[in-house]
Amino acid sequence: MTVRQQWLLVLGVVALLGSGLFAATRYMGDELFPVEVGRSAPDFRATTIDSGAAPRAKTLADYRGQVVLLNVWATWCAPCRVEMPSIQRLHDSYGPRGLKVVAVSIDDPGQEPGIRAFAREYGLTFEILHDATGAIQKAYQTTGVPETFVVGADGVIRKKVIGAADWSSPANRAIVEQLLADARR
């Protein structure tokens, strides 16, 4: 075998391995890179639903350096209705101390009036965004709604909760307090 043939063989093997790696990350990305505690929070894109104001796109980068409670929810979700009052209480307690509560609705396109009505009904004062495409579900590998991610100021997921939770509980308040204290250091 000539040197040229050897190099062609090496290039062929490298191309084959590269193609395999590309295919694996493309089709098995969720298995290879799960969204879990200890990993960096994936970016997302959702729009504001402030009445009277033009919708603005927001991403995770808009909250860089802050402790974030990111809740993925929908107006038609019964457990979301149970959970929202405790998220509001957490926001009331820790929002002034730096906690950013961001609730991203995955309701269908055109449902912004219903999302605003939901927020009024529950007296929600934290940031409500809308992802009409549902892309946040893929990015965060959610299995349903609600799902909540507590993200430290360093952008790392510190807690993941599938289903409704009592965000007023001592355990949930403790993690938020600890993350806020860490962010001030």
Side-chain angles (χ1 to χ4, degrees), residues 67 150-153 158 174-184:
V67 177
V150 179
V151 181
R158 301 301 178 179
I175 192 167
V176 169
E177 284 182 19
Q178 183 61 55
L179 290 171
L180 289 171
D182 291 347
R184 286 192 293 270

Side-chain angles (χ1 to χ4, degrees), residues 16-67:
L16 183 65
L17 290 173
S19 298
L21 183 59
F22 174 78
T25 57
R26 175 91 170 132
Y27 300 108
M28 296 175 47
D30 290 355
E31 290 83 14
L32 295 173
F33 308 107
V35 175
E36 60 190 11
V37 172
R39 299 256 177 142
S40 291
D43 200 11
F44 67 85
R45 183 180 187 83
T47 56
T48 59
I49 59 159
D50 307 332
S51 58
R56 298 177 322 279
K58 301 280 286 229
T59 67
L60 185 62
D62 291 314
Y63 309 100
R64 183 171 288 125
Q66 298 177 299
V67 177

Side-chain angles (χ1 to χ4, degrees), residues 8-133:
L8 287 174
L9 180 62
V10 167
L11 288 173
V13 169
V14 168
L16 183 65
L17 290 173
S19 298
L21 183 59
F22 174 78
T25 57
R26 175 91 170 132
Y27 300 108
M28 296 175 47
D30 290 355
E31 290 83 14
L32 295 173
F33 308 107
V35 175
E36 60 190 11
V37 172
R39 299 256 177 142
S40 291
D43 200 11
F44 67 85
R45 183 180 187 83
T47 56
T48 59
I49 59 159
D50 307 332
S51 58
R56 298 177 322 279
K58 301 280 286 229
T59 67
L60 185 62
D62 291 314
Y63 309 100
R64 183 171 288 125
Q66 298 177 299
V67 177
V68 176
L69 183 134
L70 176 64
N71 180 259
V72 180
W73 68 286
T75 58
W76 45 261
C77 163
C80 299
R81 292 177 177 273
V82 170
E83 178 180 57
M84 283 298 181
S86 72
I87 294 176
Q88 181 61 48
R89 287 190 296 275
L90 190 75
H91 171 68
D92 291 343
S93 296
Y94 295 102
R97 295 174 50 192
L99 175 67
K100 290 299 292 183
V101 174
V102 181
V104 180
S105 166
I106 57 156
D107 283 284
D108 289 335
Q111 296 301 311
E112 294 82 3
I115 298 167
R116 282 192 289 275
F118 182 99
R120 278 191 308 277
E121 177 184 345
Y122 285 88
L124 305 179
T125 60
F126 47 82
E127 188 157 37
I128 307 278
L129 302 177
H130 185 207
D131 177 8
T133 68

